[in-house]
Amino acid sequence: MALTRREMLAGLGAGLALAGPVWSGTTLGAMRIDTLSDGNLALPGDFIFGPMPQQALTPILRKYDLDRDSLTPGCNLTLLRDDERTVLFDAGAGPDFQPSAGKLQAAFDALGLSPDDITHVVVTHGHPDHIWGLLDDFGDPLFAEATHLIGATELDYWLDDTTVDTIGPARQAFAVGAKRRLEALGDRITTFTDGAEILPGVLAHASFGHTPGHMSFELRSGTDAMMVVGDAIGNHHVAFERPSWPSGSDQDVDTAAATRLRLLDRLSTEQMRLIGFHLPGGLGRAEAHGDGYVFLPEAT
């Protein structure tokens, strides 16, 4: 399929037109799936673009109208509801990370929900925009009635006392904040490993690289499925156009690139919908295009 720049940007505009606390909604069998805005991040361009081949990067920046020096990716949490469960994938940034993020309550208000309605919090990984919202202003668990689920490898990494010394100075605050929050949850946390059906219709897939134990989640009802990819596919531009390139946002750039390639191949081949934490509107599809892929947002 040949996509012109205008057609691609028009597709992204369809997703961006959904802007608001609740970006999009769809169904999967008896499950209702919504993507909820937690605001956006403000990042220096080098956080993602730094290790990439700069000359080859320039036309991609132009194609997507991106600023090389700064990025403001949106943050999209996934909410799954059925007759028995209200499941939140990741907890957002909370009030202590960046002033432009931590806006989840507006989405809850729009849906008539409160944190006490959440039965399960499923964590993709331990970066601040994904878990610093686990605690309230008093340092207590915000989702007081919920079971919290996280991959065993990811939990071990952030609770390890040596992580703060090995993660690198730019991410030391990440390690301190993650450890404090995960320790505060104590026995509210349940762990799992690759391939586990952590809840009915929710299958865990190891998608390591962005962090050492990053997990994605296949939501399935019969033959229909979608994938919550977290930050395993971290943006709608370079991650799709050149998935093999190293990204400065990944802790293990080689493993993360291999994970992206594997996920994009499966998602495009099976035409499985995906929800990405930093993709415009969250929900869409991956389609093979030239030497890479393109993100097609789904307006719902």
Side-chain angles (χ1 to χ4, degrees):
M1 176 182 179
L3 290 177
T4 67
R5 178 176 179 274
R6 179 174 297 184
E7 289 168 336
M8 180 165 49
L9 292 176
L12 288 175
L16 292 171
L18 297 169
V22 181
W23 280 94
S24 58
T26 189
T27 57
L28 188 70
M31 296 182 282
R32 168 77 185 186
I33 313 294
D34 293 291
T35 55
L36 313 182
S37 174
D38 192 46
N40 66 272
L41 302 181
L43 302 173
D46 272 348
F47 186 76
I48 291 175
F49 301 138
M52 297 179 179
Q54 298 301 300
Q55 186 172 355
L57 174 64
T58 298
I60 297 176
L61 298 176
R62 187 179 304 119
K63 180 178 182 179
Y64 288 86
D65 291 335
L66 297 172
D67 184 342
R68 171 62 180 80
D69 297 324
S70 63
L71 292 166
T72 56
C75 301
N76 308 298
L77 282 69
T78 301
L79 184 74
L80 180 160
R81 289 177 288 174
D82 60 19
D83 290 341
E84 298 179 356
R85 306 167 294 173
T86 300
V87 182
L88 186 66
F89 291 83
D90 290 327
D96 298 327
F97 183 46
Q98 292 190 356
S100 57
K103 310 299 184 184
L104 180 61
Q105 187 59 50
F108 276 14
D109 291 344
L111 294 174
L113 293 175
S114 80
D116 287 345
D117 293 320
I118 303 300
T119 60
H120 301 81
V121 177
V122 178
V123 174
T124 62
H125 67 292
H127 279 169
D129 50 330
H130 295 258
I131 69 163
W132 280 23
L134 286 172
L135 304 184
D136 64 19
D137 292 339
F138 300 97
D140 296 320
L142 176 64
F143 305 100
E145 305 301 318
T147 298
H148 296 69
L149 300 100
I150 186 172
T153 300
E154 187 74 356
L155 181 64
D156 289 346
Y157 175 73
W158 294 110
L159 292 184
D160 189 331
D161 289 336
T162 67
T163 295
V164 69
D165 297 318
T166 57
I167 197 172
R171 289 187 167 96
Q172 282 184 331
F174 292 13
V176 172
K179 191 172 191 293
R180 180 171 74 84
R181 287 162 175 83
L182 293 170
E183 285 180 339
L185 292 177
D187 60 7
R188 297 170 184 264
I189 299 178
T190 298
T191 60
F192 55 85
T193 56
D194 181 34
E197 186 175 26
I198 62 171
L199 295 167
V202 182
L203 186 67
H205 290 285
S207 48
F208 299 169
H210 182 69
T211 61
H214 187 289
M215 284 285 183
S216 298
F217 301 95
E218 179 180 343
L219 314 182
R220 179 167 290 277
S221 177
T223 59
D224 196 10
M226 67 175 58
M227 189 78 74
V228 178
V229 301
D231 283 3
I233 304 174
N235 59 70
H236 68 282
H237 37 85
V238 186
F240 282 82
E241 291 266 352
R242 296 291 183 267
S244 64
W245 282 3
S247 172
S249 65
D250 296 326
Q251 292 183 220
D252 181 337
V253 295
D254 293 336
T255 300
T259 292
R260 271 193 302 277
L261 287 162
R262 173 174 52 81
L263 277 173
L264 286 165
D265 178 67
R266 180 184 178 190
L267 292 166
S268 61
T269 299
E270 298 183 14
Q271 281 296 285
M272 185 187 299
R273 290 178 291 174
L274 73 150
I275 302 176
F277 195 86
H278 296 300
L279 301 181
L283 179 64
R285 297 181 186 272
E287 187 162 309
H289 178 60
D291 295 332
Y293 300 85
V294 65
F295 176 62
L296 302 177
E298 183 173 313
T300 56

